[in-house]
């Protein structure tokens, strides 16, 4: 039996599911990322804030899927969300993809709590033959029993449909009477992602957004031209411009520029 009642949610804002102990462990050191420090994702930030505020107010709200390019702020946005709304009763439980089979048991004890819980699944995707997504489906939309009103699932993924997509799947689709009928494999791929009512896409940063993010890490540097030149060189070597690259640049060059 999953053990979720040992957490004192009045003093704990987040916990992580630990498989070996079949229970939750309070997270002691939260990532301090702040809402206003996130750059280049204003549209996504506003959308998930509206959804979360509706959830906290007991109004209709959606489960959320944040998908897209790596390092573009998906996970940071969820962490900043907790830091912003914990004082309003938001609580968060991180569950690894491999532990989703226990998800229905995890949420069973949450429905009586006076808090609003986000189940956070980071870097979520499924390979061919995996079946743990079925437990996720039941929590997203329920089965015979409706899902708890005080629980939502927020997931991040590099895949829009969470499952691998193959050219052979498209070749099995058929056109009947002028209508496209997707193959069963495609229907299965799309059916899981469709259960997330709010889907937010993330893309690599354009150069100006990347440099704005770099600037936020170096607020006191006066020689912006030299800073930007080195930051562009750093991103070119990595082959990607995103928030993670800007943070890694800061970690390598902090204290270097005047």
């Amino acid at each position: 039996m999953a053990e979720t009642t040992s957490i004192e949610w009045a003093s704990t804002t987040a916990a992580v599911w630990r498989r070996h102990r079949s229970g939750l462990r309070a997270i002691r050191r939260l990532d301090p990322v702040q809402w206003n420090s996130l750059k280049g994702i204003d549209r996504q930030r506003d959308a998930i804030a509206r959804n979360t505020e509706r959830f906290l107010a007991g109004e209709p709200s959606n489960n959320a899927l944040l998908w897209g390019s790596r390092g573009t702020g998906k996970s940071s946005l969820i962490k900043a969300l907790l830091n912003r709304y914990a004082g309003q009763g938001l609580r968060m439980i991180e569950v690894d993809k491999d532990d989703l089979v226990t998800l229905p048991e995890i949420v069973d004890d949450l429905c009586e709590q006076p808090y609003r819980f986000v189940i956070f699944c980071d870097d979520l995707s499924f390979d061919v033959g995996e079946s743990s997504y079925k437990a996720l489906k039941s929590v997203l939309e329920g089965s015979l029993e409706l899902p708890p009103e005080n629980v939502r699932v927020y997931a991040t993924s590099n895949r829009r449909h969470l499952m691998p997509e193959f050219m052979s799947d498209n070749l099995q689709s058929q056109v009947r009477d002028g209508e496209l009928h997707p193959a069963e494999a495609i229907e299965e791929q799309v059916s899981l992602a469709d259960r997330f009512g709010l889907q937010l896409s993330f893309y690599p940063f354009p150069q100006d957004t990347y440099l704005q993010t770099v600037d936020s890490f170096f607020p006191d540097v006066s020689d912006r031209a030299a800073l930007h030149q080195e930051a562009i060189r750093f991103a070119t070597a990595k082959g990607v411009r995103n928030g993670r690259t800007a943070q890694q640049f800061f970690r390598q060059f902090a204290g270097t520029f005047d």
Side-chain angles (χ1 to χ4, degrees):
M1 175 69 179
E3 179 57 53
T4 65
T5 57
S6 60
I7 300 294
E8 292 291 338
W9 291 112
S11 56
T12 302
T13 57
V16 60
W17 178 258
R18 292 303 190 205
R19 185 188 322 165
H20 69 278
R21 62 192 289 181
S22 294
L24 294 173
R25 177 183 68 77
I27 295 178
R28 305 179 185 93
R29 298 175 62 244
L30 285 173
D31 190 321
V33 58
Q34 294 301 305
W35 192 253
N36 292 328
S37 68
L38 302 174
K39 306 297 181 183
I41 53 172
D42 293 352
R43 176 184 60 83
Q44 298 91 330
R45 190 179 61 175
D46 292 346
I48 202 166
R50 286 194 299 271
N51 189 69
T52 303
E53 289 168 4
R54 291 177 61 84
F55 175 49
L56 291 172
E59 300 173 357
S61 59
N62 283 306
N63 299 295
L65 173 63
L66 286 61
W67 67 272
S69 302
R70 66 188 188 279
T72 48
K74 301 184 295 294
S75 300
S76 294
L77 182 54
I78 301 298
K79 297 170 186 176
L81 196 73
L82 176 61
N83 292 331
R84 189 185 196 201
Y85 292 106
Q88 299 180 36
L90 182 65
R91 299 294 183 264
M92 196 166 289
I93 298 174
E94 185 171 3
V95 180
D96 188 81
K97 181 201 74 172
D98 294 333
D99 297 325
L100 287 176
V101 291
T102 61
L103 194 54
E105 295 178 60
I106 293 173
V107 303
D108 274 349
D109 292 334
L110 300 179
C111 59
E112 302 300 328
Q113 294 285 342
Y115 301 98
R116 296 270 161 171
F117 292 88
V118 164
I119 304 296
F120 175 37
C121 299
D122 196 22
D123 198 18
L124 184 64
S125 64
F126 299 94
D127 293 324
V128 175
E130 287 191 270
S131 60
S132 57
Y133 69 88
K134 294 180 180 179
L136 178 58
K137 278 185 174 182
S138 68
V139 172
L140 290 172
E141 287 197 349
S143 49
L144 187 60
E145 182 179 27
L146 289 173
E149 280 300 315
N150 67 331
V151 176
R152 292 293 180 270
V153 177
Y154 285 7
T156 69
S157 180
N158 294 334
R159 292 174 175 170
R160 182 176 186 177
H161 293 147
L162 302 176
M163 295 182 175
E165 301 176 58
F166 302 102
M167 180 63 71
S168 58
D169 297 336
N170 291 305
L171 294 176
Q172 295 175 31
S173 298
Q174 299 178 3
V175 176
R176 304 192 195 107
D177 298 326
E179 293 184 350
L180 177 65
H181 293 263
E184 290 183 4
I186 295 178
E187 290 284 4
E188 185 71 4
Q189 292 162 1
V190 175
S191 68
L192 177 58
D194 273 354
R195 284 168 166 78
F196 291 91
L198 176 63
Q199 298 188 21
L200 301 173
S201 55
F202 291 70
Y203 300 97
F205 289 176
Q207 183 163 291
D208 59 342
T209 301
Y210 167 67
L211 293 177
Q212 289 172 16
T213 307
V214 169
D215 285 342
S216 70
F217 285 110
F218 296 86
D220 300 322
V221 170
S222 57
D223 191 351
R224 292 286 159 185
L227 174 67
H228 290 175
Q229 183 179 33
E230 192 62 44
I232 292 170
R233 185 181 295 117
F234 185 84
T236 301
K238 288 185 63 67
V240 62
R241 291 188 302 255
N242 55 38
R244 181 179 296 155
T245 300
Q247 186 178 57
Q248 292 169 345
F249 174 76
F250 167 74
R251 290 172 178 168
Q252 183 166 332
F253 289 96
T256 302
F257 298 92
D258 298 324

